[in-house]
Amino acid sequence: MGFMNSSPGRLPVGPPRPPRPRRGASPLRDFPVVVWLLLAVVAAFIQPVLRESTWVMVHLALLGAMTHAVLVWSTFFAQALLKTPESVDPAAHQTVRLAVLVVGVACVVVGVPSGLWSLVVVGAVIVGAAVAWHGVAMARRLRVALPSRFAVTVRYYLAAAVCLPVGAVFGVLLARWPASDLFGRLLIAHTLTMLVGWLGLTVMGTLVTFWPTMLRTRVDPRAAGLAHQALPVVLTGLGLIIVGALVGLRGLAVAGMVVHLAGVLWWGRGLIGPLRAAPPRRAPALFATGALAWGLVLLVSLPLHVATAESWGGVAGGYLPITTVAVLGFALQLLTGALSQLIPTVLGGGPAIRMAVDAEFARLLLTRFIVLNAGLLVTLLPVPPDVRRGAIGAAMAAVALLIPLILRGIFVGVRAKRARA
Ligand code: HEM
């Protein structure tokens, strides 16, 4: 079984006793994700009257919901895998970090569309500081932990945490000079540092053990080793992308994307065994599989897009389909899968309650999966604008259903535990 069903770190037991990751409902853990998602859906509906509506939706989803989820759950996984003492990263610090992040995100999502650059700078500094603090906590965990082959996951988290503040600097510059020649170059530097670095590295690190957990099967014994070998490759690729974009060498940026893709494929070999052993049937694995498929589409289409554009200006011009795949196909779909596994797990309460909460996340499973993925596919085809708008609305609605499911899942779990108590 995956790590959350067995003993993850295989570490020698010794004092001090590690704390268990926090269980039960937790407002600051769960609700900001719900609120950011809800706001993203509202933004989609009031699009005609909202300034910079695409930017707002993208950032409510990726900077709001996803970044909050990454901070929460990578801490959860790091704790579960390394079993470090509470003092290494006290729960109170984690809570403050999450609150700080919420404030920073709010400043950025208000600042960019209203053209208040100083507010954007303040927000980006706050977000960057929260994530840098998170990175320091990861480094401390690695330093203190006993040796574990799954420490590789936390190394991915550390690398990811370095990426966000760097990407935030590019974001701030993009907000300052939206109409400059630099725009296309900064856009590639910003989006790839965030998507491939901050989100991608976190996902790669997590799936080493979480992929088999979602599939309810065993970890491939090679997975940690493959992830370990892939890390320098993907980081080299990302470095080349950033340097290529900043100095304006598209060939170098494309080469970086190819190197990065090679690293991802190498890492991905560790996913195949569990997938063969237990094909996806439940919500977590089904959505995660869909997300990985779109992630691959994204990583292949990015170098093609950059290589075939006429100029850096052209790179920025045709970027919307790439953003749509990144947000809906990859990020939000993965969030749907991950939360469908994680929320029932952290609510705890034993097998009966677990089944009841799982059942909430399984509601309309195939419909949601098909509408999301088919809707996204239609938006990428050469269809009339009305059809595209309808398809994207349907895909967003399929994602939005996650919100009532999370709330119902928490409600059902908490009520069942109270009833039993
Ligand atoms: C830290 C604060 C951030 C700031 C200040 C920021 C700022 C910006 C700006 C100014 C743009 C260009 C908007 C335009 O097209 O005119 C942009 C685009 C983009 N950003 Fe961010 N961003 C931030 C965080 C993030 C994060 C965390 C992610 C992903 C995980 C992200 C993903 C994207 C994407 C995909 C685009 C392209 C959107 C499009 O095609 O319009 N950003 N960002």
Side-chain angles (χ1 to χ4, degrees), residues 320-335:
L320 190 58
I322 289 190
T323 302
T324 312
V325 168
V327 175
L328 273 173
F330 176 66
L332 292 182
Q333 179 151 225
L334 194 66
L335 186 70

Side-chain angles (χ1 to χ4, degrees), residues 52 54-55 58-59 62-63 67 108 112 120 124 127 164 168 171-172 174-175 183 187 190-191 194-195 198-199 319 323:
E52 307 260 12
T54 304
W55 184 93
V58 167
H59 287 77
L62 299 182
L63 175 63
T67 297
V108 174
V112 171
V120 178
V127 170
L164 187 130
V172 164
L174 275 170
F183 190 83
L187 188 70
H190 171 66
T191 55
M194 292 303 201
L195 292 172
W198 170 234
L199 296 186
Y319 214 62
T323 302

Side-chain angles (χ1 to χ4, degrees), residues 36-61:
W36 293 130
L37 274 182
L38 199 61
L39 290 175
V41 175
V42 172
F45 279 102
I46 59 166
Q47 211 171 351
V49 294
L50 185 67
R51 283 181 68 182
E52 307 260 12
S53 56
T54 304
W55 184 93
V56 173
M57 281 187 290
V58 167
H59 287 77
L60 283 169

Side-chain angles (χ1 to χ4, degrees), residues 52-417:
E52 307 260 12
S53 56
T54 304
W55 184 93
V56 173
M57 281 187 290
V58 167
H59 287 77
L60 283 169
L62 299 182
L63 175 63
M66 286 302 287
T67 297
H68 194 93
V70 166
L71 230 63
V72 169
W73 297 109
S74 55
T75 301
F76 173 86
F77 281 103
Q79 182 60 51
L81 291 168
L82 296 186
K83 297 176 180 274
T84 43
E86 159 84 7
S87 57
V88 175
D89 185 20
H93 289 194
Q94 298 170 23
T95 306
V96 174
R97 263 198 318 260
L98 291 177
V100 168
L101 179 70
V102 169
V103 174
V105 172
C107 293
V108 174
V109 292
V110 172
V112 171
S114 47
L116 295 172
W117 192 65
S118 45
L119 190 60
V120 178
V121 175
V122 170
V125 167
I126 297 176
V127 170
V131 175
W133 184 7
H134 169 82
V136 170
M138 290 297 168
R140 293 190 60 197
R141 284 178 192 278
L142 280 170
R143 216 179 45 230
V144 168
L146 295 169
S148 158
R149 70 191 166 112
F150 294 122
V152 68
T153 294
V154 184
R155 276 186 220 114
Y156 271 84
Y157 292 161
L158 180 55
V162 173
C163 289
L164 187 130
V166 176
V169 173
F170 300 141
V172 164
L173 297 176
L174 275 170
R176 184 76 181 94
W177 290 288
S180 72
D181 294 345
L182 266 179
F183 190 83
R185 286 149 61 183
L186 282 174
L187 188 70
I188 290 296
H190 171 66
T191 55
L192 275 104
T193 310
M194 292 303 201
L195 292 172
V196 159
W198 170 234
L199 296 186
L201 289 168
T202 304
V203 170
M204 289 175 76
T206 305
L207 289 187
V208 171
T209 51
F210 192 48
W211 174 245
T213 302
M214 287 193 282
L215 289 163
R216 291 196 164 154
T217 184
R218 287 176 182 283
V219 179
D220 183 326
R222 301 171 313 159
L226 289 169
H228 182 76
Q229 291 155 1
L231 184 57
V233 182
V234 290
L235 288 179
T236 305
L238 182 56
L240 293 176
I241 296 169
I242 296 174
V243 173
L246 291 184
V247 300
L249 288 177
R250 270 196 294 149
L252 190 61
V254 171
M257 291 174 191
V258 173
V259 170
H260 170 266
L261 178 59
V264 171
L265 293 175
W266 187 257
W267 159 88
R269 292 169 67 213
L271 305 186
I272 296 168
L275 187 64
R276 282 217 187 106
R281 290 193 187 88
R282 297 161 59 244
L286 198 59
F287 286 114
T289 307
L292 288 178
W294 283 115
L296 196 58
V297 169
L298 185 69
L299 294 184
V300 172
S301 50
L302 266 165
L304 289 176
H305 175 70
V306 176
T308 54
E310 283 165 13
S311 61
W312 284 103
V315 169
Y319 214 62
L320 190 58
I322 289 190
T323 302
T324 312
V325 168
V327 175
L328 273 173
F330 176 66
L332 292 182
Q333 179 151 225
L334 194 66
L335 186 70
T336 306
L339 293 185
S340 307
Q341 176 74 32
L342 288 167
I343 291 185
T345 302
V346 290
L347 283 174
I353 295 179
R354 170 75 201 231
M355 265 176 66
V357 181
D358 273 345
E360 293 301 325
F361 285 96
R363 279 179 194 274
L364 296 174
L365 177 57
L366 275 184
T367 313
R368 283 156 60 215
F369 181 76
I370 292 170
V371 171
L372 167 52
N373 290 289
L376 177 53
L377 197 62
V378 171
T379 64
L380 302 173
L381 299 175
V383 290
D386 282 348
V387 176
R388 176 168 298 120
R389 268 195 292 276
I392 202 136
M396 280 290 283
V399 170
L401 279 177
L402 180 64
I403 299 168
L405 296 185
I406 292 177
L407 297 175
R408 278 192 60 92
I410 294 174
F411 175 72
V412 166
V414 170
R415 192 184 51 181
K417 284 204 300 195

